[in-house]
Amino acid sequence: MQTMKKFTCVEDIGALDKALAEAALIKKDRFAFTGLGRNKTLLMIFFNSSLRTRLSTQKAAMNLGMNVIVLDVNQGAWKLETERGVIMDGDKAEHLLEAIPVMGCYCDIIGVRSFAGLTNKKDDYEEKVISQFIKYSGKPVFSMEAATRHPLQSFADLITIEEYKTKERPKVVMTWAPHPKALPQAVPNSFAEWMIAAGYDFVITHPHGYELDPAFTRGAKIEYDQRKAFEGADFIYAKNWSAYADPNYGKVLSTDRDWTVDAGKMALTDNAYFMHCLPVRRNMIVTDDVIESDRSIVIPEAANREISAQVVIKRLLESL
């Protein structure tokens, strides 16, 4: 039995073949382990907005028989200070260092969603918020998206690719695409990490200036010509992210629509499936005809978020 005490990255899940086998087992019968969570409580803490993560994780916990408490920090709690040494004479009434152990008193497992601020790279890449939950809560903690990774999404992406692939080692291409706002690097970092761990033929394509942290992309092929990258691909994963490298950290360097995924580019692939984590800006990230085509698997991909969350929560319950 593979158990976990925390889940923030691909290393925490252990052997991917065993994790995938467990996911397949759960997908056949989502209610086979309802006794595992009986009289146990999951606390889901949101510092940022959510649709799929909130719904899928809550459903996964309910499948396991758990009680679920959902806290939206920005709407249903005191404003929280996260830094030590601050004189708290502003609008933040409570410190995270008191709030976290208090939260831990009311639950058995904690899920945390806290995005990158995109102003201080050091703070973001040190994962200050979720790290404090792991250190001070006294409970198993899992990431529902942190500053640098979104492992529940990436695990669901892996499950989806395994379900749809027709060859042992498919060519998977992650392409940058334009977006009007600055977005974190968490999803692309995490997707790269999981695809490399899976041993796929993995290619990342993006404009110059959008290079990700090499710690996440080492082992991937980087191709700056998007059309060349698409040639012979089996899966196209589109995602926007802001710049990582200084001095442009967190900035939008381009909104070039030439990078939008359209039917012409998909025609260069080996009849590839189109993937995206959602929500997606249509006709910025991807054209209507591509996302609505029979090769678009964004909905099955989103549905697998329930499965990835259930595997993770099951293992955390087994570690109690």
Side-chain angles (χ1 to χ4, degrees):
M1 182 190 301
Q2 176 71 46
T3 61
M4 300 186 300
K5 292 292 186 181
K6 69 176 180 68
F7 178 70
T8 64
C9 62
V10 70
E11 285 81 8
D12 291 333
I13 203 74
L16 291 182
D17 57 344
K18 292 181 179 178
L20 288 165
E22 197 167 347
L25 181 67
I26 284 172
K27 201 162 187 178
K28 287 178 183 175
D29 184 357
R30 295 162 205 244
F31 306 103
F33 303 98
T34 52
L36 199 58
R38 184 173 180 270
N39 296 331
K40 297 291 194 299
T41 298
L42 169 65
L43 174 59
M44 298 166 58
I45 302 165
F46 291 88
F47 289 84
N48 300 95
S49 301
S50 175
L51 189 151
R52 275 148 298 278
T53 298
R54 182 179 298 226
L55 297 178
S56 62
T57 307
Q58 186 165 356
K59 179 64 165 60
M62 291 165 65
N63 292 350
L64 292 164
M66 297 189 78
N67 303 309
V68 181
I69 301 172
V70 179
L71 176 64
D72 187 327
V73 171
N74 296 317
Q75 294 182 12
W78 301 110
K79 287 188 177 181
L80 296 175
E81 178 58 64
T82 60
E83 299 295 327
R84 294 185 76 256
V86 173
I87 297 173
M88 291 175 58
D89 59 355
D91 64 344
K92 295 177 180 177
E94 185 159 12
H95 202 287
L96 207 59
L97 291 179
E98 285 79 61
I100 289 173
V102 167
M103 293 176 193
C105 294
Y106 307 141
C107 65
D108 300 281
I109 294 173
I110 299 176
V112 181
R113 184 172 177 91
S114 179
F115 293 174
L118 295 181
T119 55
N120 186 316
K121 183 164 74 174
K122 182 175 182 290
D123 284 353
D124 287 344
Y125 275 73
E126 286 179 355
E127 292 287 8
K128 283 194 169 182
V129 174
I130 196 166
S131 294
Q132 289 185 79
F133 274 92
I134 292 168
K135 185 174 182 179
Y136 298 114
S137 69
K139 297 297 164 69
V141 174
F142 68 95
S143 170
M144 299 191 299
E145 186 171 355
T148 63
R149 293 179 173 97
H150 193 353
L152 286 178
Q153 178 65 55
S154 301
F155 186 15
D157 296 335
L158 176 65
I159 293 167
T160 307
I161 291 171
E162 285 294 304
E163 289 175 338
Y164 281 86
K165 74 179 187 180
T166 57
K167 60 185 72 166
E168 184 60 30
R169 189 169 183 262
K171 180 179 179 181
V172 179
V173 177
M174 179 172 72
T175 180
W176 179 93
H179 193 284
K181 296 171 62 178
L183 298 185
Q185 300 100 33
V187 169
N189 282 347
S190 195
F191 186 75
E193 190 172 56
W194 284 70
M195 294 302 102
I196 293 165
Y200 297 147
D201 178 7
F202 182 54
V203 180
I204 305 173
T205 184
H206 55 71
H208 288 278
Y210 278 100
E211 293 78 9
L212 294 164
D213 182 349
F216 296 100
T217 62
R218 196 169 291 112
K221 179 182 178 183
I222 310 299
E223 174 56 68
Y224 294 98
D225 184 331
Q226 188 189 34
R227 290 180 176 274
K228 185 176 179 182
F230 274 44
E231 291 174 0
D234 300 294
F235 294 88
I236 298 295
Y237 194 98
K239 186 70 183 79
N240 174 267
W241 60 89
S242 59
Y244 165 77
D246 294 325
N248 295 316
Y249 178 70
K251 294 181 180 177
V252 174
L253 305 181
S254 172
T255 55
D256 185 356
R257 301 283 181 87
D258 286 342
W259 281 81
T260 300
V261 178
D262 58 24
K265 291 171 189 168
M266 292 299 290
L268 300 171
T269 71
D270 188 10
N271 199 24
Y273 289 105
F274 175 79
M275 302 177 70
H276 188 278
C277 62
L278 302 181
V280 65
R281 300 258 183 160
R282 284 181 175 228
N283 302 306
M284 284 287 293
I285 301 287
V286 58
T287 56
D288 290 332
D289 53 348
V290 170
I291 198 169
E292 292 174 6
S293 76
D294 60 3
R295 304 300 285 180
S296 171
I297 53 174
V298 297
I299 304 305
E301 179 186 0
N304 277 330
R305 291 293 308 279
E306 177 185 347
I307 306 303
S308 65
Q310 192 163 336
V311 172
V312 168
I313 297 169
K314 174 180 174 289
R315 291 188 176 186
L316 294 173
L317 283 168
E318 289 167 344
S319 75
L320 294 176

